[in-house]
Amino acid sequence: MTARIVTTEPDVDRPPAPRIAFDRHTWKEIAYLLSNLPIAVLGFVYVVTMLATGVGLAVTVIGLPVLAAGLLGARQLGKAERGRARALLGLRIEEPSPLPRRRDEGFFGRLWSGLKDPVGWRAVLYAFIRLPWGVLTFAITLTGLFVLWPVLPFIVRGLTNADRAMARALLSPSDELERRIAELESDRGVVVDTAAADLRRIERDLHDGAQARLVNLAMGLGLAKEKLLEDPDAAAAMVDEAHGEVKLALQELRDLARGIHPAVLTDRGLDAALSSVASRCTVPVKVTADLPQRPAAAIEGIAYFTVSELLQNVSKHSGARSASVDVWRSADRLLIQVQDDGRGGASLDKGTGMSGLADRLGAVDGLFVVDSPEGGPTTVTAELPWRDRTPA
C-alpha cells in the first residue's frame, strides 16, 4: 500500500516566542490589546441593552422574539471577534455551524431554537467578561508603552495568551459533536441524492431496455397468433424472433439485477463477486481478498460497487496492460486497493466517476485516495469502516 502524504499549513495558531525586540507580531498583539477596550464597551452595551429589552418585554408577546434576535446579533459579535483574533493574533477558530432550520418546525420551533442557541449565549458571556478584561489590558498596555517598554513584549505575550484561551473557550464551536452533526447532515444529503440517482437509473434502464423489448415481444406474439392459421411458416418465424427477444430481455434483466445487487455477492461473498467483476474487465486483473470473515452486507455492497466502478475506469480510460485488486481488513477498517500500469493522470475532477465514489465513501465515514501521476502507474486506495455481519 502506498503511503499517503498529508501536507498541512504552517501552525499559524502558535505565536513566535516573545523577544525583547518589537517585531511585527508584538505590534499586532499591542494593537489587539489596545483595541480590547472600545470593542469590549460596544459589546457590553449591546448585550446589556438586548438582555434588558428582551427580559423586560418577556411578559409581552414580543419579548422572546426580541431576545432570540439579540442572540443572533451576539453570534455576529462572536464572528467579528474571531476575525479580529485571526488578523492580529494569528488565532484560527472554526466558525460554528448555523442554526438548524427545518421547514416543518414553524415559527415557535424556530423561536425556541434561537432562544436555546449555545453559540449565542456563549458570545453574550464573552461580551460580559471582556469589559473588565478590556479595561485591564488597555491600562497595562498603555502604561507599559511608556514605563515598561523593555519587558513589554513579555507582558503583551502573557496577556494575549489569556485572550487566546478565552476566545478558544467561548467562541469555538460547541464541541466535536456539533462539527460531527454538520458532517452527518452533509453526508445524509449525499446519500439521499445518490439513492435518487440510482432509482432514476433503474427506472430508465427498465423503461428503455427490458420493458421496450417485452412490449415488442407482446406485439410480435400477437401478430404470430393472427397468422398461425393463414401462414404457419411466417408465424413460426415470428415466434422464433420472439424467442430471441425473450433471451435478450432476460439478459438485460440479469444485468440490471447485477447492477442493483449481484446474486454472487449475496451467496458467495466479496471474493467471488470481485472475481466475477474482474473477469468482465478488458484488462487482465489479479484479485486478492484476505478477509477472515464477511463484513456487513451494506459495507460489502459498497466495496463491490467501488471496485466495479474502478475496474470500468481501468477498461475505458487507463490504457493499462494489467491491473490488480487487493482487499483486506486492518483493525476496524476494510481496505481496498486497485492498481493498474496505465497512462495515469486520473483525478477526482475529470468526470470518471471518482468524485461520486469519494462522496459515497465519505457518507459512510470512508476515505478515498487517488495516486495517479502522469505516465502512471495509478493506485486508488479506499477505506471503509468494518462492521460485523449480522446473522440473518
Side-chain angles (χ1 to χ4, degrees):
M1 179 177 177
T2 58
R4 181 175 51 169
I5 300 175
V6 179
T7 59
T8 58
E9 297 179 357
D11 192 0
V12 296
D13 192 21
R14 182 180 301 168
R19 295 178 296 177
I20 295 297
F22 285 78
D23 60 6
R24 62 185 183 89
H25 298 289
T26 303
W27 284 114
K28 283 185 176 182
E29 291 174 340
I30 291 173
Y32 184 87
L33 295 174
L34 291 177
S35 63
N36 271 350
L37 180 58
I39 298 296
V41 170
L42 291 176
F44 185 83
V45 170
Y46 172 81
V47 298
V48 168
T49 304
M50 177 265 295
L51 290 177
T53 305
V55 174
L57 296 176
V59 295
T60 68
V61 178
I62 63 172
L64 295 181
V66 168
L67 190 58
L71 290 175
L72 285 176
R75 268 181 167 256
Q76 298 306 311
L77 288 178
K79 182 177 181 180
E81 283 291 283
R82 285 188 293 271
R84 189 167 69 100
R86 186 182 306 112
L88 297 178
L89 300 184
L91 178 63
R92 292 183 180 271
I93 300 177
E94 294 184 17
E95 293 294 327
S97 52
L99 285 174
R101 299 295 185 191
R102 300 185 181 90
R103 296 180 180 178
D104 57 345
E105 65 180 353
F107 171 76
F108 291 102
R110 291 193 296 271
L111 177 62
W112 177 242
S113 297
L115 289 175
K116 66 178 184 178
D117 177 24
V119 176
W121 284 113
R122 284 188 286 110
V124 169
L125 178 60
Y126 183 82
F128 268 116
I129 296 174
R130 295 297 291 178
L131 182 60
W133 177 253
V135 173
L136 178 65
T137 55
F138 180 85
I140 293 176
T141 306
L142 190 61
T143 304
L145 282 173
F146 298 98
V147 179
L148 303 173
W149 61 268
V151 293
L152 185 59
F154 296 93
I155 297 174
V156 166
R157 182 54 44 81
L159 294 175
T160 53
N161 282 342
D163 268 298
R164 290 183 175 93
M166 197 181 307
R168 287 193 190 98
L170 296 177
L171 298 181
S172 296
S174 297
D175 50 21
E176 185 63 28
L177 179 60
E178 182 181 336
R179 288 189 289 271
R180 183 64 181 146
I181 290 173
E183 291 175 1
L184 290 177
E185 288 178 347
S186 175
D187 293 343
R188 181 182 61 183
V190 172
V191 171
V192 171
D193 293 342
T194 300
D198 288 341
L199 287 175
R200 288 193 298 270
R201 177 183 59 80
I202 293 170
E203 181 182 9
R204 183 179 64 251
D205 291 344
L206 283 173
H207 183 272
D208 297 341
Q211 180 180 340
R213 290 192 181 278
L214 291 175
V215 170
N216 291 332
L217 173 63
M219 295 175 62
L221 289 175
L223 292 174
K225 182 179 178 181
E226 293 178 358
K227 291 182 175 293
L228 185 61
L229 297 177
E230 300 176 1
D231 190 351
D233 293 336
M238 290 181 178
V239 171
D240 185 62
E241 183 180 351
H243 184 251
E245 288 289 330
V246 169
K247 290 182 178 180
L248 292 175
L250 288 175
Q251 182 61 41
E252 288 183 355
L253 289 174
R254 289 192 193 98
D255 293 339
L256 181 61
R258 186 184 294 116
I260 298 173
H261 196 85
V264 66
L265 179 63
T266 303
D267 298 337
R268 299 176 57 192
L270 199 56
D271 190 358
L274 294 183
S275 298
S276 176
V277 172
S279 66
R280 299 194 298 270
C281 185
T282 59
V283 175
V285 181
K286 178 183 178 182
V287 178
T288 303
D290 183 13
L291 298 176
Q293 63 189 56
R294 294 178 65 177
I299 299 300
E300 197 173 57
I302 295 173
Y304 170 83
F305 288 110
T306 299
V307 174
S308 178
E309 180 74 21
L310 291 174
L311 289 183
Q312 287 184 29
N313 287 339
V314 170
S315 298
K316 296 177 181 178
H317 308 292
S318 70
R321 292 173 295 178
S322 64
S324 64
V325 177
D326 296 290
V327 182
W328 71 98
R329 178 182 179 180
S330 177
D332 60 347
R333 307 290 285 181
L334 175 65
L335 288 94
I336 304 166
Q337 191 170 78
V338 178
Q339 295 179 306
D340 68 73
D341 58 358
R343 65 177 64 94
S347 67
L348 297 179
D349 55 357
K350 289 191 176 181
T352 56
M354 288 192 178
S355 59
L357 287 177
D359 291 340
R360 291 191 183 194
L361 266 67
V364 293
D365 286 340
L367 294 175
F368 190 79
V369 182
V370 178
D371 180 15
S372 183
E374 292 292 339
T378 296
T379 301
V380 179
T381 304
E383 292 186 18
L384 288 166
W386 179 275
R387 296 172 190 160
D388 292 329
R389 176 174 289 265
T390 303

